Amino acid sequence: MTKRVLLIGTTMGLVSGEKLDQEKAIYVTLESFQQSGYETILLTENREVFPDFHTLAQHVIFQDINLTNLKSIIIQYQIDFIFPTYAANNKLNIFKNLIKQGFLEKNHVKLLVLNQKNLNLMISHKALTNYLQNKGFRLIEHEIINKFDEAMAFVQQHHFPIIIRVNNKEQKTYWNSINTKEELIHLFQTTKASEGYEVERSINTFKEITMTTVRDRFDNKALIYASEDIDPIGIHSNDSISVTPVYSITNRLFQRIRDAVLKLTRLLKIVGICTFHLAVDEKTDSFYVLEISPLFQSKILPIIASTGYPLFEVICQISLGCRLQNVLTLDGSIINAAVELTPNHLTGRFPIWQSPQLVDLNNNLGPHKSSLGAVIVNGNNLETVIMKGFKILNLSDDIFINHPDAKLSDEQIESLLFHTSIRRIIAVCEALNRGFDVQEIQSFTKYNLVFLETLKHLLDLARLLEYKKGDLDTLLLSKRYGFTDFLIAKLWNLTTAQVTKITSQLSLNRLFLPTPSSYSLDHGAVLNYYSSFLDDPFIKEPNYQIIINNYPNSDMISNHEMTILAHQLIHRFQSDGYSVAAQGNLLSKIDSHALGDFYVDSSYNKSYLFSPQNRLNIAINTIENQHINYPVSIYNLKYQQQLLQNHQITTEIIFIQDNQQRLWLSLPITNVLKKLSSQHFEMTAIPSKLKTGLVKRISDYVHSNYQNTKFGTIIISDNDQWQWLDGFTINVGIVSQVNPNFIDVLCHCLVGIATPKSQKSKHLFGRKINLKQLANGLYTTKVKYFDLPTTYRQELK
């Protein structure tokens, strides 16, 4: 009898890049389980999923992930295994209760990856500290206190800042970073702790390291990932810039930490993946284990970008009982996944926020993660990695051209260096430009010293470029360290085209280098590339190929819709026999099965991160259509909010038009805006029926105004005003679910072989988005899906 695996999918609520990464992971996991002969059932709260989920999984269940629903599904579908690796941390108590109540044992269900021991250590910080202490691991100084005077006594011994939290048993209690006596007084005035407070020495003077291990049930194990935060904030690792591999601690200390995490992996009986967050004190040659997580964390995705390691396939196979040395990948090959790979280049992960005006984001980073996601870049030196990160984050102009902190006094700059705000990097660069001592800046910021020296090198090089305008040797040097034509043009008061022309005359060309990896196989696997400037001939891309370039923005909903759309396009084009290459941060390689070449870096000079549009460029170069380019835009959440503020109700319809001007139309999506307060909005989107009269009006409108347009969105306001968009809104995810032939028609139209097909609506649902603007310039986005009434669904069908 075929065994059944229940995958725990993504939850709703706050939208972040982690949700997007989880969706990609689930996509690969479904394929991997299916290849191994298991039936898969997916439980998810997200209605806008990869369309292939419906074909890969025997059942996709859209329900709240809670204890009652989980029990019901286990019984109804006779589940044999539960795979919770991509579940959210706030769902861990569900699995703990299933074990505690004996429900899993009674129904003969095995929980993969998690067990009673590592569940307790993830949920309870007290249990973790006790366990580590019993196993001989050194703990950061901490105490349980009850009074303000006791807290101040701890401060006098260890100094500010400190970390403190209300010490109760609830999982949702958070740590607080306390920097001053006034903040500590406020905490005691506003909270009550029946079991006291847990106070801990801050790690802001330590280096922060992340390590990830894998282990099978035969006790084969390996360290597969290690990175360090080069601008550690001492609170939340995901809000820092991280670089892999680790390069700034001694090899002796690194090996000690490696041995320790591998020992913990065995002690915890991990079968799967486990990530450890550690603090390293080089002064005492010691380290501390801060957090243990056997769940997938998006921070470790650079392991794929830097080595091509088929992470998700490995997790699935070893959780099912496979040996690490004999992992079956999706491309059909058997690999030794216990190999600890070391790439010959650096990979950086840069967190992103919603606003380009970093001066508005001047809050101190705290115990709650503020960044929404991250971008990943590769380079052959740290300078190149940093320059790529600055370019994508729109920081290059402020750091090298505008100098927004130039009018501040030295004392004001010093004050900014002390605070862990989002914009501190600009103050750091201003201090370096003024000649502040690197050691002094390091004592203020606790930044990695190598990182600060690298920043100083880049700033010195920028000044040299300004001083030696037109000097080819300086140009060559700057290119080797990641300076773009766009930035050099500004420093030299030239146009980008002029600098590009000069560069092209040098013996310096862009080369796409495949990352060295045991898993970059000749057949079937995706080659992962990073770009650098070398004295080598330019490698020409294939003559006939479809290339998809993605330039993400900072809106996570828009990114989510764009990624699903892009992967749909890739899959459809490949199914039709086309070779597809993809380039862009959101399209990073996720498995060993995908076809075509993959470029993780882009040569574009301009960042689209804070643009209202999330751009996807599709370059069609086939025998039938040579060198045709189709830019696709998804307008972000803020754009749609502004659109709705003028008209509280709008209706939008996507159209696709083939060469014979035959139209395909999506179901209309009706949008309603509700203003809850001056900074709080609720947007509701509901599919509606496409009536005959409206079809005729749209056909006449498109044929009269957009005869040669392949696709777009028509927006009709409540006063019957019509507007056309040269792309889609964030409702494209709903459209792709309720109109399952949408991608098929779009792809065929783009390559010139389309005939509009009849559409059969399914998976009908509505969506509410809550957008709340915060005082510090950030905003939070929450999504909730709801079922449409039965009578309404029947009418639509």
Side-chain angles (χ1 to χ4, degrees):
M1 183 177 176
T2 304
K3 297 289 186 180
R4 294 187 172 185
V5 181
L6 174 65
L7 273 75
I8 307 300
T10 53
T11 60
M12 277 300 95
L14 289 176
V15 180
S16 68
E18 292 177 2
K19 297 283 179 68
L20 180 56
D21 297 329
Q22 287 170 335
E23 293 290 316
K24 294 179 185 178
I26 291 167
Y27 179 84
V28 180
T29 305
L30 287 170
E31 282 194 297
S32 187
F33 278 131
Q34 188 182 65
Q35 178 181 262
S36 300
Y38 289 81
E39 288 188 13
T40 52
I41 293 92
L42 172 64
L43 170 61
T44 179
E45 296 176 2
N46 181 17
R47 299 296 184 102
E48 297 171 86
V49 296
F50 284 78
D52 281 354
F53 283 4
H54 298 286
T55 56
L56 291 172
Q58 273 66 32
H59 301 280
V60 180
I61 304 168
F62 299 110
Q63 289 184 7
D64 291 341
I65 300 175
N66 56 46
L67 185 61
T68 301
N69 287 341
L70 201 54
K71 286 182 176 180
S72 175
I73 291 167
I74 289 171
I75 295 172
Q76 179 181 351
Y77 292 95
Q78 299 180 349
I79 301 298
D80 298 292
F81 301 99
I82 299 177
F83 188 79
T85 298
Y86 312 127
N89 281 332
N90 59 5
K91 301 296 180 182
L92 292 177
N93 272 320
I94 298 175
F95 307 116
K96 182 179 179 181
N97 289 331
L98 286 173
I99 295 174
K100 187 177 180 181
Q101 296 172 10
F103 183 85
L104 297 181
E105 184 178 2
K106 178 182 176 182
N107 290 277
H108 310 289
V109 180
K110 183 178 180 181
L111 182 65
L112 302 176
V113 181
L114 296 177
N115 56 51
Q116 183 73 57
K117 180 178 291 185
N118 56 43
L119 266 173
N120 284 338
L121 298 185
M122 288 183 68
I123 294 172
S124 170
H125 184 263
K126 181 179 180 180
L128 176 62
T129 54
N130 290 339
Y131 180 81
L132 292 173
Q133 193 167 25
N134 291 335
K135 296 298 180 181
F137 286 86
R138 185 177 178 181
L139 300 179
I140 291 179
E141 293 82 352
H142 66 283
E143 291 180 12
I144 303 298
I145 61 169
N146 295 288
K147 300 177 182 179
F148 172 78
D149 293 342
E150 295 173 346
M152 284 304 300
F154 186 89
V155 169
Q156 289 175 0
Q157 185 175 359
H158 301 289
H159 311 291
F160 283 118
I162 59 172
I163 307 295
I164 191 170
R165 78 161 184 169
V166 180
N167 186 33
N168 57 31
K169 296 181 180 179
E170 295 180 12
Q171 185 184 352
K172 291 186 178 180
T173 56
Y174 297 108
W175 291 96
N176 297 275
S177 177
I178 303 298
N179 299 287
T180 65
K181 182 177 179 180
E182 289 72 23
E183 291 179 8
L184 189 61
I185 293 172
H186 179 72
L187 177 72
F188 274 84
Q189 290 176 340
T190 55
T191 61
K192 293 182 180 180
S194 57
E195 298 183 21
Y197 298 84
E198 188 171 1
V199 61
E200 187 175 281
R201 177 187 172 189
S202 173
I203 61 168
N204 72 331
T205 59
F206 302 152
K207 290 186 175 180
E208 296 178 35
I209 304 291
T210 298
M211 288 187 170
T212 299
T213 61
V214 290
R215 177 182 177 272
D216 62 24
R217 65 187 180 93
F218 308 101
D219 200 31
N220 299 304
K221 51 193 177 295
L223 176 71
I224 60 171
Y225 175 77
S227 68
E228 62 178 299
D229 296 342
I230 57 178
D231 62 338
I233 60 174
I235 303 165
H236 203 297
S237 182
N238 279 332
D239 285 343
S240 295
I241 302 171
S242 62
V243 172
T244 182
V246 173
Y247 62 89
S248 72
I249 63 175
T250 64
N251 183 62
R252 177 177 172 274
L253 182 55
F254 180 86
Q255 294 302 327
R256 281 182 53 213
I257 301 172
R258 173 188 175 275
D259 293 343
V261 296
L262 288 175
K263 176 184 176 182
L264 278 171
T265 303
R266 182 179 68 252
L267 290 173
L268 295 171
K269 298 181 179 179
I270 299 293
V271 178
I273 188 173
C274 192
T275 298
F276 301 85
H277 296 291
L278 307 108
V280 177
D281 184 1
E282 288 188 299
K283 292 182 180 178
T284 60
D285 204 27
S286 57
F287 61 89
Y288 306 88
V289 179
L290 306 177
E291 183 184 345
I292 297 173
S293 176
L295 298 180
F296 165 70
Q297 295 190 338
S298 62
K299 187 179 180 182
I300 67 171
L301 278 182
I303 186 179
I304 298 175
S306 62
T307 63
Y309 189 85
L311 176 65
F312 306 129
E313 295 154 76
V314 172
I315 296 173
C316 295
Q317 292 298 307
I318 60 179
S319 70
L320 294 173
C322 177
R323 288 183 180 271
L324 263 177
Q325 295 87 343
N326 297 290
V327 169
L328 175 64
T329 61
L330 289 175
D331 66 2
S333 33
I334 304 293
I335 64 169
N336 178 9
V339 175
E340 298 185 1
L341 299 172
T342 302
N344 67 351
H345 62 280
L346 297 173
T347 299
R349 179 186 181 277
F350 289 76
I352 60 175
W353 287 268
Q354 298 110 327
S355 171
Q357 304 299 325
L358 295 185
V359 67
D360 296 332
L361 305 178
N362 55 8
N363 62 307
N364 285 345
L365 296 173
H368 318 304
K369 184 170 73 73
S370 298
S371 59
L372 291 177
V375 291
I376 298 171
V377 297
N378 296 302
N380 54 344
N381 53 58
L382 185 57
E383 283 88 346
T384 300
V385 169
I386 292 171
M387 290 300 288
K388 287 179 179 179
F390 285 169
K391 180 184 71 173
I392 294 175
L393 297 178
N394 276 6
L395 288 172
S396 297
D397 279 4
D398 279 347
I399 289 174
F400 297 104
I401 306 293
N402 300 329
H403 307 294
D405 288 349
K407 295 181 180 180
L408 300 180
S409 66
D410 286 357
E411 291 75 17
Q412 289 173 312
I413 293 295
E414 285 188 3
S415 176
L416 291 174
L417 296 180
F418 273 108
H419 294 87
T420 55
S421 67
I422 295 169
R423 68 175 308 281
R424 180 163 60 166
I425 186 67
I426 297 175
V428 168
C429 290
E430 177 63 29
L432 289 168
N433 265 328
R434 295 187 185 190
F436 277 48
D437 183 71
V438 171
Q439 296 282 354
E440 182 184 16
I441 297 174
Q442 200 272 339
S443 69
F444 292 154
T445 62
K446 314 306 176 187
Y447 278 11
N448 186 297
L449 193 59
V450 177
F451 176 47
L452 290 173
E453 293 283 3
T454 304
L455 287 177
K456 184 177 184 302
H457 180 211
L458 290 171
L459 292 165
D460 290 344
L461 189 52
R463 281 197 296 271
L464 187 63
L465 275 169
E466 284 187 291
Y467 178 70
K468 293 186 175 183
K469 291 180 180 177
D471 184 76
L472 297 184
D473 289 336
T474 307
L475 173 64
L476 189 69
L477 186 64
S478 66
K479 280 294 183 182
R480 292 188 179 280
Y481 291 116
F483 279 71
T484 64
D485 292 348
F486 185 72
L487 179 57
I488 295 171
K490 286 195 171 185
L491 293 169
W492 280 3
N493 294 320
L494 298 176
T495 66
T496 303
Q498 288 173 319
V499 174
T500 302
K501 185 177 181 180
I502 297 171
T503 303
S504 65
Q505 295 172 2
L506 301 175
S507 60
L508 182 71
N509 294 298
R510 182 173 291 274
L511 176 68
F512 288 108
L513 294 176
T515 56
S517 168
S518 302
Y519 309 105
S520 292
L521 307 173
D522 292 334
H523 302 288
V526 173
L527 289 179
N528 199 13
Y529 287 80
Y530 73 96
S531 57
S532 59
F533 285 98
L534 299 171
D535 295 323
D536 289 320
F538 181 75
I539 293 181
K540 188 178 180 181
E541 294 172 349
N543 287 329
Y544 298 109
Q545 190 175 46
I546 297 173
I547 300 176
I548 298 179
N549 295 312
N550 170 242
Y551 308 135
N553 62 24
S554 60
D555 183 84
M556 283 300 121
I557 292 183
S558 177
N559 284 343
H560 185 271
E561 308 295 13
M562 180 61 79
T563 301
I564 291 180
L565 174 63
H567 280 278
Q568 288 173 327
L569 292 170
I570 292 170
H571 178 75
R572 181 69 260 173
F573 283 134
Q574 289 174 345
S575 299
D576 287 340
Y578 295 99
S579 173
V580 182
Q583 177 176 318
N585 183 262
L586 296 180
L587 305 181
S588 57
K589 186 183 72 171
I590 57 175
D591 61 55
S592 66
H593 183 56
L595 302 174
D597 290 334
F598 228 101
Y599 308 100
V600 296
D601 286 341
S602 175
S603 59
Y604 65 92
N605 278 315
K606 186 178 185 301
S607 170
Y608 288 89
L609 193 62
F610 301 105
S611 165
Q613 304 173 35
N614 189 329
R615 293 181 59 86
L616 187 73
N617 289 333
I618 307 172
I620 306 288
N621 186 17
T622 65
I623 296 175
E624 300 86 0
N625 294 300
Q626 295 185 32
H627 306 294
I628 298 177
N629 186 63
Y630 295 106
V632 181
S633 297
I634 291 186
Y635 290 82
N636 68 8
L637 181 64
K638 296 288 283 185
Y639 178 89
Q640 190 151 0
Q641 178 198 2
Q642 293 167 3
L643 188 70
L644 283 168
Q645 278 185 301
N646 297 324
H647 307 280
Q648 290 193 340
I649 299 176
T650 62
T651 299
E652 58 186 72
I653 300 171
I654 291 176
F655 73 87
I656 303 171
Q657 184 174 214
D658 67 10
N659 295 335
Q660 285 76 43
Q661 290 191 313
R662 289 175 296 184
L663 282 178
W664 177 96
L665 301 177
S666 71
L667 284 184
I669 305 294
T670 301
N671 302 292
V672 180
L673 176 70
K674 186 177 181 181
K675 190 173 182 179
L676 304 178
S677 71
S678 59
Q679 300 296 324
H680 191 185
F681 298 87
E682 180 184 86
M683 289 175 280
T684 305
I686 305 173
S688 55
K689 190 173 182 179
L690 189 59
K691 298 180 180 179
T692 306
L694 184 57
V695 171
K696 185 178 185 309
R697 291 183 66 193
I698 293 174
S699 300
D700 293 342
Y701 178 78
V702 173
H703 290 156
S704 298
N705 300 283
Y706 306 103
Q707 299 93 332
N708 300 317
T709 303
K710 288 285 187 180
F711 57 85
T713 302
I714 296 171
I715 299 176
I716 308 171
S717 64
D718 46 8
N719 60 358
D720 204 36
Q721 289 183 341
W722 288 48
Q723 181 180 347
W724 173 77
L725 291 182
D726 58 344
F728 312 115
T729 72
I730 56 173
N731 287 328
V732 69
I734 299 179
V735 170
S736 68
Q737 300 297 315
V738 301
N739 299 122
N741 61 329
F742 164 60
I743 292 298
D744 188 40
V745 175
L746 178 59
C747 288
H748 287 173
C749 264
L750 295 181
V751 295
I753 59 173
T755 53
K757 299 180 179 180
S758 61
Q759 47 187 349
K760 295 180 181 179
S761 303
K762 63 177 183 178
H763 310 302
L764 297 167
F765 59 91
R767 178 183 68 184
K768 284 186 179 180
I769 300 176
N770 269 278
L771 175 68
K772 190 172 184 180
Q773 188 83 32
L774 304 179
N776 57 18
L778 298 168
Y779 63 84
T780 60
T781 308
K782 292 184 178 180
V783 172
K784 183 175 179 60
Y785 296 99
F786 55 89
D787 289 317
L788 301 177
T790 304
T791 53
Y792 187 77
R793 294 204 307 270
Q794 290 173 347
E795 180 185 346
L796 291 182
K797 292 183 178 180

